[in-house]
Amino acid sequence: MGNEKRDIIIIGSGPAGLTAAIYAARANLKPLVFEGAQPGGQLMITTEVENFPGFKDGIMGPDLMQEMRAQAERFGAEIVTADVTKVELSANKKIVWEDEDAYETKTVIIATGATANLLGLENESRLMGRGVSACATCDGFFFTNKEICVVGGGDSAMEEATFLTRFASKVHIIHRRDQFRASKIMVQKATDNPKINFIMDSIVTDVLGDQTVNGVKLKNKKTNEISELKVEGMFVAIGHTPNTKMFKGQLDMDEKGYIITCSDKTKQTATSVPGVFACGDVQDPHYRQAVTAAGTGCAAALDAEHYIEAME
Ligand code: NAP
């Protein structure tokens, strides 16, 4: 372990991790940020962000992340473009590894986010941000007066489809079964909405379009019938997976793998291990917004700062 003991190591570089870095750096704690091999989090695959306060004309997702990163560096955050490969987290000892390099630290802030589950189709990733989206609140506005579809049968699909009817002329919900996973009330709300149409027992087998989406190919699972649906947008709402594999067995998590925070009443981002804090989507299955992630990032840095003060 060729490194001196750190005050704070931050894992992740979305809005949560970088806001934590800005606050920790300004508190003179010289945070070390492992931004990952693919830095910036989910906003890197978003086009225009119109709901982040302070940007009245909107800002491109990657530009917003670049600004946050530069702001953290300006105050002295040290940023490493590499993935953390292993952690050892206990009340008395915290070690973070990047391959062979081990870093001991007084506190760890986990901001590794969550990844939207996708269908796994080649054209789905090619057209991501150009008609394909995994975030209705981020991108709904771009589909004003357009016909679109939402894939999924859970609460997110119902909520997003209902929200999208504010903009879209028609929203087709495509679900792979004939029963919904979503709660009755959410299904009822969608059913009552005249702009929503349901396509059941069907899966999307391809996303069509050259530069932007102009349709999806469907297969009915009961009849095997293949059809095409003309839509200009496809929202994938089939759940998220928190990026917590590395912490399994070391931190308390819920059944879906989200880190449980708030184990200390005075520190809302505290995890089950003293001195380890979590912020952003990795601990939030509900709001999942850049601004809420940034808010909890700030809280995690303040919680870590107070923890270090109490230690000393
Ligand atoms: P979810 O409940 O896990 O539902 C995912 C849906 O996507 C299911 O209908 C599933 O189909 C479908 N799906 C999964 N993989 C698929 C694939 N490869 N191809 C096609 N369809 C696929 O996820 P969620 O809707 O994101 O909700 C997550 C949690 O947040 C839930 O606990 C939910 O209640 C909560 N939530 C609550 C609210 C609210 O109360 N306002 C809003 C949003 C979310 P199957 O049903 O066939 O498995």
mmCIF file of all heavy atoms in Angstrom, residues 131 143 145-150 168-174 197 199 204 206-209 212-218 227-234:
data_model
loop_
_atom_site.group_PDB
_atom_site.id
_atom_site.type_symbol
_atom_site.label_atom_id
_atom_site.label_comp_id
_atom_site.label_asym_id
_atom_site.label_seq_id
_atom_site.Cartn_x
_atom_site.Cartn_y
_atom_site.Cartn_z
ATOM 1 N N GLY A 131 -34.074 8.906 -30.416
ATOM 2 C CA GLY A 131 -35.406 8.298 -30.501
ATOM 3 C C GLY A 131 -35.564 7.221 -29.452
ATOM 4 O O GLY A 131 -36.662 6.960 -28.989
ATOM 5 N N PHE A 143 -40.689 14.814 -27.735
ATOM 6 C CA PHE A 143 -41.624 14.007 -28.535
ATOM 7 C C PHE A 143 -43.005 14.656 -28.614
ATOM 8 O O PHE A 143 -44.021 13.977 -28.732
ATOM 9 C CB PHE A 143 -41.678 12.578 -27.973
ATOM 10 C CG PHE A 143 -40.360 11.869 -28.113
ATOM 11 C CD1 PHE A 143 -39.381 11.980 -27.139
ATOM 12 C CD2 PHE A 143 -40.067 11.146 -29.263
ATOM 13 C CE1 PHE A 143 -38.143 11.372 -27.283
ATOM 14 C CE2 PHE A 143 -38.836 10.532 -29.418
ATOM 15 C CZ PHE A 143 -37.867 10.645 -28.427
ATOM 16 N N ASN A 145 -46.239 16.032 -29.818
ATOM 17 C CA ASN A 145 -47.089 15.698 -30.984
ATOM 18 C C ASN A 145 -46.597 14.504 -31.801
ATOM 19 O O ASN A 145 -46.921 14.380 -32.978
ATOM 20 C CB ASN A 145 -47.275 16.912 -31.919
ATOM 21 C CG ASN A 145 -48.031 18.016 -31.216
ATOM 22 O OD1 ASN A 145 -48.907 17.730 -30.388
ATOM 23 N ND2 ASN A 145 -47.691 19.251 -31.496
ATOM 24 N N LYS A 146 -45.787 13.653 -31.187
ATOM 25 C CA LYS A 146 -45.304 12.473 -31.916
ATOM 26 C C LYS A 146 -45.923 11.205 -31.341
ATOM 27 O O LYS A 146 -46.320 11.176 -30.175
ATOM 28 C CB LYS A 146 -43.778 12.402 -31.840
ATOM 29 C CG LYS A 146 -43.140 13.551 -32.603
ATOM 30 C CD LYS A 146 -41.645 13.473 -32.595
ATOM 31 C CE LYS A 146 -41.104 14.599 -33.481
ATOM 32 N NZ LYS A 146 -39.681 14.770 -33.367
ATOM 33 N N GLU A 147 -45.959 10.170 -32.178
ATOM 34 C CA GLU A 147 -46.459 8.871 -31.729
ATOM 35 C C GLU A 147 -45.262 8.058 -31.245
ATOM 36 O O GLU A 147 -44.262 7.937 -31.963
ATOM 37 C CB GLU A 147 -47.167 8.177 -32.900
ATOM 38 C CG GLU A 147 -47.973 6.983 -32.471
ATOM 39 C CD GLU A 147 -49.026 6.572 -33.505
ATOM 40 O OE1 GLU A 147 -49.493 7.433 -34.295
ATOM 41 O OE2 GLU A 147 -49.362 5.388 -33.535
ATOM 42 N N ILE A 148 -45.361 7.525 -30.043
ATOM 43 C CA ILE A 148 -44.213 6.832 -29.445
ATOM 44 C C ILE A 148 -44.668 5.549 -28.743
ATOM 45 O O ILE A 148 -45.866 5.293 -28.618
ATOM 46 C CB ILE A 148 -43.484 7.742 -28.414
ATOM 47 C CG1 ILE A 148 -44.457 8.149 -27.302
ATOM 48 C CG2 ILE A 148 -42.904 8.980 -29.080
ATOM 49 C CD1 ILE A 148 -43.800 8.904 -26.173
ATOM 50 N N CYS A 149 -43.698 4.766 -28.277
ATOM 51 C CA CYS A 149 -44.061 3.585 -27.482
ATOM 52 C C CYS A 149 -43.228 3.519 -26.215
ATOM 53 O O CYS A 149 -42.145 4.113 -26.143
ATOM 54 C CB CYS A 149 -43.909 2.308 -28.305
ATOM 55 S SG CYS A 149 -42.225 1.911 -28.759
ATOM 56 N N VAL A 150 -43.763 2.820 -25.235
ATOM 57 C CA VAL A 150 -43.067 2.556 -23.977
ATOM 58 C C VAL A 150 -43.028 1.048 -23.816
ATOM 59 O O VAL A 150 -44.069 0.385 -23.942
ATOM 60 C CB VAL A 150 -43.809 3.191 -22.783
ATOM 61 C CG1 VAL A 150 -43.190 2.767 -21.461
ATOM 62 C CG2 VAL A 150 -43.831 4.711 -22.893
ATOM 63 N N ALA A 168 -46.724 13.579 -26.169
ATOM 64 C CA ALA A 168 -46.928 12.758 -27.365
ATOM 65 C C ALA A 168 -48.389 12.778 -27.810
ATOM 66 O O ALA A 168 -49.300 13.003 -27.004
ATOM 67 C CB ALA A 168 -46.507 11.323 -27.057
ATOM 68 N N SER A 169 -48.597 12.517 -29.111
ATOM 69 C CA SER A 169 -49.969 12.444 -29.604
ATOM 70 C C SER A 169 -50.587 11.094 -29.254
ATOM 71 O O SER A 169 -51.784 10.980 -29.025
ATOM 72 C CB SER A 169 -50.000 12.673 -31.115
ATOM 73 O OG SER A 169 -49.139 11.757 -31.743
ATOM 74 N N LYS A 170 -49.755 10.048 -29.219
ATOM 75 C CA LYS A 170 -50.228 8.716 -28.845
ATOM 76 C C LYS A 170 -49.077 7.930 -28.210
ATOM 77 O O LYS A 170 -47.934 8.043 -28.653
ATOM 78 C CB LYS A 170 -50.720 7.986 -30.097
ATOM 79 C CG LYS A 170 -51.446 6.709 -29.784
ATOM 80 C CD LYS A 170 -52.455 6.350 -30.869
ATOM 81 C CE LYS A 170 -53.432 5.315 -30.400
ATOM 82 N NZ LYS A 170 -54.583 5.815 -29.715
ATOM 83 N N VAL A 171 -49.398 7.144 -27.188
ATOM 84 C CA VAL A 171 -48.372 6.328 -26.529
ATOM 85 C C VAL A 171 -48.835 4.869 -26.504
ATOM 86 O O VAL A 171 -49.903 4.564 -25.961
ATOM 87 C CB VAL A 171 -48.117 6.805 -25.076
ATOM 88 C CG1 VAL A 171 -47.042 5.941 -24.420
ATOM 89 C CG2 VAL A 171 -47.714 8.269 -25.030
ATOM 90 N N HIS A 172 -48.065 3.987 -27.113
ATOM 91 C CA HIS A 172 -48.373 2.553 -27.078
ATOM 92 C C HIS A 172 -47.534 1.916 -25.981
ATOM 93 O O HIS A 172 -46.319 2.057 -25.968
ATOM 94 C CB HIS A 172 -47.993 1.887 -28.415
ATOM 95 C CG HIS A 172 -48.669 2.506 -29.598
ATOM 96 N ND1 HIS A 172 -49.900 2.095 -30.046
ATOM 97 C CD2 HIS A 172 -48.284 3.515 -30.419
ATOM 98 C CE1 HIS A 172 -50.246 2.815 -31.099
ATOM 99 N NE2 HIS A 172 -49.287 3.694 -31.348
ATOM 100 N N ILE A 173 -48.179 1.217 -25.060
ATOM 101 C CA ILE A 173 -47.417 0.446 -24.064
ATOM 102 C C ILE A 173 -47.281 -0.968 -24.595
ATOM 103 O O ILE A 173 -48.292 -1.645 -24.865
ATOM 104 C CB ILE A 173 -48.129 0.437 -22.690
ATOM 105 C CG1 ILE A 173 -48.163 1.860 -22.103
ATOM 106 C CG2 ILE A 173 -47.432 -0.527 -21.732
ATOM 107 C CD1 ILE A 173 -48.866 1.962 -20.757
ATOM 108 N N ILE A 174 -46.053 -1.416 -24.743
ATOM 109 C CA ILE A 174 -45.804 -2.761 -25.261
ATOM 110 C C ILE A 174 -45.341 -3.639 -24.100
ATOM 111 O O ILE A 174 -44.315 -3.359 -23.476
ATOM 112 C CB ILE A 174 -44.717 -2.727 -26.369
ATOM 113 C CG1 ILE A 174 -45.174 -1.805 -27.509
ATOM 114 C CG2 ILE A 174 -44.406 -4.136 -26.879
ATOM 115 C CD1 ILE A 174 -44.060 -1.445 -28.481
ATOM 116 N N ASN A 197 -52.520 3.354 -25.678
ATOM 117 C CA ASN A 197 -52.983 2.099 -26.282
ATOM 118 C C ASN A 197 -52.094 0.963 -25.769
ATOM 119 O O ASN A 197 -50.884 1.142 -25.615
ATOM 120 C CB ASN A 197 -52.867 2.229 -27.813
ATOM 121 C CG ASN A 197 -53.145 0.919 -28.506
ATOM 122 O OD1 ASN A 197 -54.140 0.258 -28.244
ATOM 123 N ND2 ASN A 197 -52.237 0.520 -29.404
ATOM 124 N N ILE A 199 -50.434 -2.818 -26.164
ATOM 125 C CA ILE A 199 -50.119 -3.940 -27.050
ATOM 126 C C ILE A 199 -49.545 -5.039 -26.158
ATOM 127 O O ILE A 199 -48.431 -4.918 -25.644
ATOM 128 C CB ILE A 199 -49.108 -3.531 -28.149
ATOM 129 C CG1 ILE A 199 -49.680 -2.359 -28.967
ATOM 130 C CG2 ILE A 199 -48.745 -4.711 -29.034
ATOM 131 C CD1 ILE A 199 -48.720 -1.776 -29.989
ATOM 132 N N VAL A 204 -40.475 -6.383 -28.505
ATOM 133 C CA VAL A 204 -39.834 -5.616 -29.573
ATOM 134 C C VAL A 204 -38.631 -6.432 -30.042
ATOM 135 O O VAL A 204 -37.757 -6.767 -29.243
ATOM 136 C CB VAL A 204 -39.380 -4.228 -29.051
ATOM 137 C CG1 VAL A 204 -38.583 -3.483 -30.118
ATOM 138 C CG2 VAL A 204 -40.588 -3.413 -28.607
ATOM 139 N N ASP A 206 -36.867 -5.471 -32.977
ATOM 140 C CA ASP A 206 -35.910 -4.574 -33.642
ATOM 141 C C ASP A 206 -36.421 -3.142 -33.552
ATOM 142 O O ASP A 206 -37.626 -2.906 -33.420
ATOM 143 C CB ASP A 206 -35.743 -4.971 -35.113
ATOM 144 C CG ASP A 206 -34.428 -4.470 -35.696
ATOM 145 O OD1 ASP A 206 -33.644 -3.824 -34.943
ATOM 146 O OD2 ASP A 206 -34.168 -4.712 -36.890
ATOM 147 N N VAL A 207 -35.475 -2.224 -33.592
ATOM 148 C CA VAL A 207 -35.823 -0.799 -33.633
ATOM 149 C C VAL A 207 -35.445 -0.312 -35.023
ATOM 150 O O VAL A 207 -34.326 -0.569 -35.503
ATOM 151 C CB VAL A 207 -35.050 0.001 -32.561
ATOM 152 C CG1 VAL A 207 -35.572 1.426 -32.482
ATOM 153 C CG2 VAL A 207 -35.160 -0.672 -31.207
ATOM 154 N N LEU A 208 -36.388 0.357 -35.680
ATOM 155 C CA LEU A 208 -36.175 0.721 -37.075
ATOM 156 C C LEU A 208 -35.830 2.200 -37.205
ATOM 157 O O LEU A 208 -36.259 3.026 -36.399
ATOM 158 C CB LEU A 208 -37.445 0.402 -37.879
ATOM 159 C CG LEU A 208 -37.990 -1.012 -37.675
ATOM 160 C CD1 LEU A 208 -39.364 -1.158 -38.330
ATOM 161 C CD2 LEU A 208 -37.018 -2.052 -38.231
ATOM 162 N N GLY A 209 -35.066 2.517 -38.233
ATOM 163 C CA GLY A 209 -34.700 3.913 -38.484
ATOM 164 C C GLY A 209 -33.227 4.023 -38.807
ATOM 165 O O GLY A 209 -32.416 3.252 -38.274
ATOM 166 N N THR A 212 -32.788 8.466 -37.087
ATOM 167 C CA THR A 212 -33.653 8.520 -35.897
ATOM 168 C C THR A 212 -34.684 7.394 -36.000
ATOM 169 O O THR A 212 -34.870 6.816 -37.074
ATOM 170 C CB THR A 212 -34.398 9.872 -35.805
ATOM 171 O OG1 THR A 212 -35.132 10.057 -37.014
ATOM 172 C CG2 THR A 212 -33.456 11.043 -35.595
ATOM 173 N N VAL A 213 -35.346 7.129 -34.887
ATOM 174 C CA VAL A 213 -36.321 6.027 -34.861
ATOM 175 C C VAL A 213 -37.538 6.359 -35.732
ATOM 176 O O VAL A 213 -38.066 7.472 -35.672
ATOM 177 C CB VAL A 213 -36.785 5.775 -33.404
ATOM 178 C CG1 VAL A 213 -37.940 4.780 -33.362
ATOM 179 C CG2 VAL A 213 -35.631 5.287 -32.545
ATOM 180 N N ASN A 214 -37.947 5.400 -36.568
ATOM 181 C CA ASN A 214 -39.221 5.592 -37.278
ATOM 182 C C ASN A 214 -40.172 4.408 -37.103
ATOM 183 O O ASN A 214 -41.228 4.362 -37.713
ATOM 184 C CB ASN A 214 -39.014 5.949 -38.753
ATOM 185 C CG ASN A 214 -38.265 4.867 -39.515
ATOM 186 O OD1 ASN A 214 -38.323 3.689 -39.143
ATOM 187 N ND2 ASN A 214 -37.548 5.243 -40.565
ATOM 188 N N GLY A 215 -39.788 3.452 -36.269
ATOM 189 C CA GLY A 215 -40.696 2.345 -35.999
ATOM 190 C C GLY A 215 -40.047 1.264 -35.160
ATOM 191 O O GLY A 215 -38.846 1.318 -34.864
ATOM 192 N N VAL A 216 -40.869 0.304 -34.745
ATOM 193 C CA VAL A 216 -40.331 -0.880 -34.056
ATOM 194 C C VAL A 216 -40.962 -2.124 -34.669
ATOM 195 O O VAL A 216 -42.092 -2.088 -35.178
ATOM 196 C CB VAL A 216 -40.614 -0.865 -32.524
ATOM 197 C CG1 VAL A 216 -39.831 0.219 -31.820
ATOM 198 C CG2 VAL A 216 -42.097 -0.731 -32.218
ATOM 199 N N LYS A 217 -40.193 -3.194 -34.640
ATOM 200 C CA LYS A 217 -40.707 -4.477 -35.123
ATOM 201 C C LYS A 217 -41.198 -5.258 -33.906
ATOM 202 O O LYS A 217 -40.500 -5.322 -32.884
ATOM 203 C CB LYS A 217 -39.569 -5.230 -35.820
ATOM 204 C CG LYS A 217 -40.050 -6.260 -36.797
ATOM 205 C CD LYS A 217 -38.891 -6.878 -37.526
ATOM 206 C CE LYS A 217 -39.032 -6.653 -39.010
ATOM 207 N NZ LYS A 217 -37.984 -7.330 -39.783
ATOM 208 N N LEU A 218 -42.380 -5.844 -34.010
ATOM 209 C CA LEU A 218 -42.969 -6.555 -32.875
ATOM 210 C C LEU A 218 -43.220 -8.012 -33.207
ATOM 211 O O LEU A 218 -43.501 -8.350 -34.365
ATOM 212 C CB LEU A 218 -44.317 -5.914 -32.506
ATOM 213 C CG LEU A 218 -44.322 -4.444 -32.103
ATOM 214 C CD1 LEU A 218 -45.750 -3.966 -31.881
ATOM 215 C CD2 LEU A 218 -43.509 -4.250 -30.832
ATOM 216 N N SER A 227 -45.097 -7.867 -36.723
ATOM 217 C CA SER A 227 -45.718 -6.653 -37.278
ATOM 218 C C SER A 227 -44.780 -5.469 -37.067
ATOM 219 O O SER A 227 -43.782 -5.574 -36.336
ATOM 220 C CB SER A 227 -47.061 -6.394 -36.600
ATOM 221 O OG SER A 227 -46.854 -6.199 -35.217
ATOM 222 N N GLU A 228 -45.112 -4.364 -37.723
ATOM 223 C CA GLU A 228 -44.329 -3.149 -37.523
ATOM 224 C C GLU A 228 -45.237 -2.056 -36.996
ATOM 225 O O GLU A 228 -46.392 -1.945 -37.403
ATOM 226 C CB GLU A 228 -43.695 -2.699 -38.847
ATOM 227 C CG GLU A 228 -42.407 -3.456 -39.135
ATOM 228 C CD GLU A 228 -41.699 -2.963 -40.391
ATOM 229 O OE1 GLU A 228 -41.923 -1.814 -40.822
ATOM 230 O OE2 GLU A 228 -40.919 -3.762 -40.933
ATOM 231 N N LEU A 229 -44.705 -1.277 -36.073
ATOM 232 C CA LEU A 229 -45.475 -0.176 -35.498
ATOM 233 C C LEU A 229 -44.711 1.106 -35.808
ATOM 234 O O LEU A 229 -43.522 1.218 -35.493
ATOM 235 C CB LEU A 229 -45.578 -0.388 -33.975
ATOM 236 C CG LEU A 229 -46.322 0.665 -33.172
ATOM 237 C CD1 LEU A 229 -47.824 0.605 -33.463
ATOM 238 C CD2 LEU A 229 -46.081 0.440 -31.665
ATOM 239 N N LYS A 230 -45.408 2.052 -36.419
ATOM 240 C CA LYS A 230 -44.753 3.326 -36.761
ATOM 241 C C LYS A 230 -44.724 4.225 -35.536
ATOM 242 O O LYS A 230 -45.773 4.681 -35.080
ATOM 243 C CB LYS A 230 -45.531 4.022 -37.882
ATOM 244 C CG LYS A 230 -45.123 3.593 -39.272
ATOM 245 C CD LYS A 230 -45.647 4.591 -40.307
ATOM 246 C CE LYS A 230 -45.301 4.241 -41.714
ATOM 247 N NZ LYS A 230 -43.948 3.818 -41.951
ATOM 248 N N VAL A 231 -43.550 4.449 -34.989
ATOM 249 C CA VAL A 231 -43.398 5.372 -33.855
ATOM 250 C C VAL A 231 -42.087 6.141 -34.050
ATOM 251 O O VAL A 231 -41.172 5.660 -34.710
ATOM 252 C CB VAL A 231 -43.334 4.630 -32.486
ATOM 253 C CG1 VAL A 231 -44.698 4.139 -32.058
ATOM 254 C CG2 VAL A 231 -42.324 3.494 -32.510
ATOM 255 N N GLU A 232 -42.047 7.326 -33.450
ATOM 256 C CA GLU A 232 -40.820 8.121 -33.583
ATOM 257 C C GLU A 232 -39.953 8.062 -32.321
ATOM 258 O O GLU A 232 -38.892 8.676 -32.265
ATOM 259 C CB GLU A 232 -41.169 9.572 -33.923
ATOM 260 C CG GLU A 232 -41.719 9.703 -35.339
ATOM 261 C CD GLU A 232 -42.069 11.136 -35.677
ATOM 262 O OE1 GLU A 232 -41.145 11.933 -35.887
ATOM 263 O OE2 GLU A 232 -43.269 11.445 -35.714
ATOM 264 N N GLY A 233 -40.457 7.350 -31.326
ATOM 265 C CA GLY A 233 -39.674 7.228 -30.105
ATOM 266 C C GLY A 233 -39.976 5.921 -29.401
ATOM 267 O O GLY A 233 -41.091 5.397 -29.487
ATOM 268 N N MET A 234 -38.963 5.371 -28.721
ATOM 269 C CA MET A 234 -39.172 4.168 -27.908
ATOM 270 C C MET A 234 -38.556 4.411 -26.534
ATOM 271 O O MET A 234 -37.340 4.656 -26.430
ATOM 272 C CB MET A 234 -38.523 2.948 -28.566
ATOM 273 C CG MET A 234 -38.665 1.693 -27.698
ATOM 274 S SD MET A 234 -37.989 0.193 -28.436
ATOM 275 C CE MET A 234 -36.285 0.288 -27.902
#
